[in-house]
Amino acid sequence: MKVGLIGNPNVGKSLIFHQLTGLGVEVSNYPGTTIDLQSGTTCFQKEMIEVTDLPGTYSIEGDSEEEKIVRSFVDSGKADVIVAVLDAGRLERNLYLLLQVAEYRRPMLVVLNMMDEAEKSGIRVDAGKLSSLLGVEVIPTVAIQGKNTSSIIPAVLSSVKSPIVNVLYDHHIEAAVKSLKTVHNLEWIEAIQALLGHAKDPDVREAAAALSEEIERMHRMTVAQIIAGNRHHCAEHIADEVVQLRTPERGPDIDRLLTSRIPGIPILAAILIGILLTVFVIGSWLEEAIVTLINIFVLQPFLAAGFPPLAEQLGVSLILAIQAGFGIAFPFIFTFYLFIALLEDSGYLTRAAFLADRTLHRFGMHGQGIIPLVLGFGCNVPAIMSIKLLRTKRERLIASFLVTLVPCSARTVIIAGLVAAFIGLAAAMSVYLFVMVIILITGLILSRVTPGEQYGMILEMSPLRRPTVKNVLLKSWMRIREFLLVAMPLLIVASIILGLFQYSGLMAAFEEFIAPFSEAVLGLPSYATTALIFGILRKEMALETLVILAGTADLGSVLTMAQIYIFAVVSVLFIPCIATIAVLRKEIGTKMALVISAYTLAIGLLVGALLNMLLS
């Protein structure tokens, strides 16, 4: 059985998805789009159920990629059951999407989530009455606490029905639908979709266009506006029937503190700086412990075993790859993802967007642009994908440039694993300051030279919540899993290839070729510049490859403090990783992806050369 989860953004849909499917999740690209869908399976009473988490959207009638995907998914009948997740505290708005989906008459189940937050706001929803009005079962839940979510799968298997709710449309719309049904032998939903301009058959499209033109002439409104108004009226009527309002619980007005310039902006700055410092401290402690353990219990016994030269070279390369991955990269990446999950689950990111709106306007974006920028500290790939939140091509282009420069968790590995570990926290923070100045200058220039209009921001404020340990750990695990399943195998393969190159002398030949440039321009030994190139595969691989080529994790013994600092800064600014370039190509085109890559390469080499002149 196949189940599709549908709902507005920020209704807890993805949380319910993870609770239903656990850790067995696959991420796949929806055909013909750049949107990723998560699918997972669960087994109940010997029945295997596949659950797909569809993109959050407010409507399925528009032309955005998210709306097209959800509309196509529902229309195709790919799911045996549609589970609509609603926010109990914003029922009327959520019902608007449900009414659109209900017209397809697919077997449905409604999950009424966030019942606790609705109660706190003085909103009480009669789930039984809502069920009778819609004609489908309604399950009240509090997903963040896991309350009643276990009832969803049993209900999917036993209680789903096609909805009976009908929108009362304007009589001209009703007449046009009946005409299309009769003449072209269409279903009700096909006729409505034809009037909205989504018909595939040319004859139907032409007939619907003629009817739409006549209706618009009489109403002086588009057909889409009339249909939307009718649906909103129906949603309002249902909400009035099932919602009871009372005086809400009063508590401290935390939102006022978080969204005011003072103290909101200092709080935001303190949170971001605090996260970075904590990641440095915890990551450095874990790094030292893991690297030491692998040295004592794995590397030294292996070297003492006396294997043949080739076997020893390959074995050392493998051990150093594991040491670099688990000892240097993993502690920093996982710690950072824990904090990102905390910010997301608490609802604080939308407050940060509100605070940042005025500042980001100076860089050609609105406040919602802070979401991809903050996500960029975790990983540039999902951050680039999230630029779809931005309204115009101009904003998306500027955001792509800036996000690519943001030090992601992989770059944090380099800053923390090198600069913080061997020079100190102050030097590590100075790298971030350095990069932030470059981002600000880049943003100011782009805001003046990038063509296009700039619009204001309309943003829904997510409710503030207390994050739960289970959900934060689950979300962090889902993100770190990509490192373990993709980066680690890639690192191991690359390390073995490097070992073969070192054994055969090819690496020495390449390093001899690149040495004049490396030493004269960047002040780095040739093997360090070679490591920079490997960083294009994945950013943390620059550091991991440096460890392998240097033959030791104690880089302070083979590099000067100036060389460590220069290597870290150039690594952070250098060409983005292959995954980021691929996503840039999908989102903004091949030409601009190449322009951004060339810009970061030039900036990295220029800054590296300047630092070499100043520090040498």
Side-chain angles (χ1 to χ4, degrees):
M1 175 178 281
K2 295 185 177 181
V3 176
L5 289 179
I6 289 177
N8 287 180
N10 302 315
V11 296
K13 177 172 55 64
S14 295
L15 177 57
I16 289 172
F17 168 77
H18 287 300
Q19 290 179 349
L20 296 181
T21 58
L23 300 179
V25 177
E26 292 182 1
V27 179
S28 58
N29 198 253
Y30 197 84
T33 74
T34 59
I35 301 292
D36 284 336
L37 299 184
Q38 287 190 321
S39 296
T41 56
T42 185
C43 186
F44 182 80
Q45 295 181 349
K46 298 182 180 180
E47 177 86 24
M48 190 63 70
I49 302 166
E50 180 184 335
V51 184
T52 300
D53 183 18
L54 292 161
T57 180
Y58 296 104
S59 169
I60 59 172
E61 306 294 5
D63 293 321
S64 71
E65 277 194 312
E66 289 84 356
E67 290 170 295
K68 288 178 181 177
I69 286 172
V70 179
R71 184 169 67 240
S72 171
F73 188 90
V74 176
D75 187 40
S76 66
K78 291 179 181 177
D80 300 300
V81 177
I82 298 295
V83 176
V85 183
L86 311 183
D87 178 355
R90 297 173 173 84
L91 186 61
E92 182 180 329
R93 190 193 62 206
N94 284 236
L95 283 170
Y96 178 74
L97 173 64
L98 184 140
L99 290 173
Q100 295 176 57
V101 176
E103 291 189 335
Y104 286 85
R105 296 299 185 246
R106 308 290 186 208
M108 284 187 70
L109 178 73
V110 171
V111 174
L112 193 60
N113 195 30
M114 302 186 185
M115 292 292 287
D116 58 331
E117 291 177 5
E119 286 282 342
K120 288 178 183 176
S121 301
I123 298 170
R124 183 168 295 165
V125 181
D126 188 336
K129 192 169 187 179
L130 179 62
S131 176
S132 65
L133 290 173
L134 298 177
V136 297
E137 182 170 354
V138 175
I139 300 177
T141 64
V142 181
I144 198 164
Q145 299 174 14
K147 287 185 179 179
N148 220 24
T149 53
S150 60
S151 303
I152 296 173
I153 294 300
V156 163
L157 293 174
S158 62
S159 307
V160 294
K161 303 180 215 175
S162 295
I164 60 171
V165 62
N166 290 306
V167 178
L168 183 62
Y169 286 110
D170 176 87
H171 66 281
H172 291 116
I173 299 292
E174 296 269 5
V177 168
K178 289 178 182 176
S179 174
L180 289 171
K181 286 176 61 181
T182 303
V183 176
H184 296 280
N185 193 29
L186 301 177
E187 297 293 330
W188 173 271
I189 187 60
E190 292 175 323
I192 284 285
Q193 291 298 311
L195 288 174
L196 290 168
H198 302 311
K200 297 176 182 177
D201 186 293
D203 294 333
V204 174
R205 192 160 54 244
E206 184 179 350
L211 290 169
S212 296
E213 186 178 343
E214 180 65 19
I215 292 171
E216 288 174 16
R217 186 184 62 79
M218 290 185 290
H219 284 260
R220 295 185 179 179
M221 293 174 64
T222 66
V223 167
Q225 289 171 329
I226 298 169
I227 290 175
N230 297 152
R231 286 172 175 163
H232 277 297
H233 181 74
C234 182
E236 180 184 19
H237 173 72
I238 294 172
D240 287 343
E241 288 284 313
V242 302
V243 172
Q244 295 179 340
L245 300 177
R246 58 180 178 78
T247 304
E249 299 177 12
R250 294 291 179 187
D253 193 359
I254 300 175
D255 258 338
R256 187 172 181 179
L257 291 174
L258 296 179
T259 55
S260 301
R261 295 187 68 190
I262 301 295
I265 292 177
I267 289 173
L268 174 60
I271 287 173
L272 294 179
I273 293 172
I275 287 174
L276 291 176
L277 289 174
T278 307
V279 167
F280 286 165
V281 172
I282 295 175
S284 297
W285 178 78
L286 289 172
E287 174 194 356
E288 184 178 355
I290 296 171
V291 167
T292 301
L293 287 172
I294 292 176
N295 268 332
I296 294 172
F297 294 105
V298 182
L299 184 58
Q300 291 176 11
F302 179 81
L303 291 173
F307 288 101
L310 177 59
E312 183 175 286
Q313 179 69 65
L314 294 179
V316 169
S317 297
L318 177 61
I319 293 168
L320 287 175
I322 294 170
Q323 186 183 57
F326 284 106
I328 299 176
F330 183 83
F332 295 105
I333 294 176
F334 186 67
T335 307
F336 192 89
Y337 278 147
L338 282 174
F339 284 107
I340 289 292
L342 280 170
L343 290 180
E344 289 179 335
D345 274 20
S346 67
Y348 181 72
L349 275 184
T350 51
R351 275 84 187 160
F354 181 84
L355 280 172
D357 187 53
R358 181 178 296 183
T359 301
L360 288 181
H361 264 279
R362 298 176 183 175
F363 303 105
M365 298 187 295
H366 57 62
Q368 216 162 350
I370 198 173
I371 295 176
L373 288 174
V374 171
L375 290 177
F377 281 99
C379 179
N380 286 172
V381 173
I384 294 293
M385 294 174 66
S386 71
I387 64 171
K388 298 183 188 74
L389 294 168
L390 305 179
R391 182 174 174 183
T392 66
K393 182 179 178 181
R394 178 178 187 264
E395 288 178 293
R396 291 192 290 271
L397 182 60
I398 293 172
S400 297
F401 264 92
L402 301 186
V403 166
T404 305
L405 291 168
V406 170
C408 62
S409 58
R411 288 158 166 158
T412 297
V413 169
I414 298 170
I415 298 170
L418 265 179
V419 183
F422 294 104
I423 305 177
L425 280 177
M429 294 305 294
S430 74
V431 176
Y432 279 100
L433 181 61
F434 212 98
V435 176
M436 289 300 114
V437 169
I438 292 173
I439 290 174
L440 292 175
I441 294 171
T442 302
L444 289 171
I445 293 171
L446 288 173
S447 67
R448 285 160 175 74
V449 301
T450 308
E453 294 184 70
Q454 184 172 351
Y455 296 92
M457 178 181 70
I458 300 175
L459 177 66
E460 178 188 348
M461 216 48 108
S462 302
L464 286 171
R465 307 184 184 96
R466 180 178 296 173
T468 62
V469 173
K470 180 182 176 182
N471 293 333
V472 168
L473 290 175
L474 179 61
K475 188 173 287 189
S476 302
W477 165 251
M478 294 302 298
R479 286 170 170 161
I480 199 65
R481 194 177 68 156
E482 190 258 351
F483 170 79
L484 296 174
L485 297 180
V486 177
M488 280 302 297
L490 183 63
L491 174 59
I492 290 170
V493 171
S495 300
I496 292 172
I497 292 172
L498 280 173
L500 289 171
F501 282 1
Q502 285 177 305
Y503 183 79
S504 65
L506 288 174
M507 189 60 68
F510 177 77
E511 289 175 4
E512 185 179 350
F513 169 76
I514 204 171
F517 172 83
S518 178
E519 294 169 2
V521 177
L522 300 178
L524 297 174
S526 56
Y527 64 82
T529 303
T530 304
L532 285 173
I533 296 170
F534 275 87
I536 299 173
L537 296 176
R538 284 184 65 93
K539 277 298 173 182
E540 69 271 19
M541 280 190 68
L543 175 56
E544 293 154 357
T545 305
L546 181 64
V547 170
I548 294 165
L549 294 179
T552 177
D554 183 15
L555 295 170
S557 64
V558 294
L559 295 173
T560 67
M561 298 299 103
Q563 288 174 328
I564 286 174
Y565 192 84
I566 292 169
F567 180 89
V569 172
V570 175
S571 297
V572 170
L573 296 173
F574 204 59
I575 300 175
C577 67
I578 286 176
T580 301
I581 294 172
V583 175
L584 282 169
R585 180 177 173 274
K586 285 184 179 181
E587 297 294 338
I588 59 175
T590 302
K591 180 181 176 182
M592 290 313 303
L594 291 174
V595 168
I596 291 175
S597 299
Y599 177 75
T600 56
L601 172 62
I603 288 289
L605 294 179
L606 177 61
V607 171
L610 290 173
L611 285 174
N612 182 36
M613 291 172 60
L614 292 171
L615 300 177
S616 61

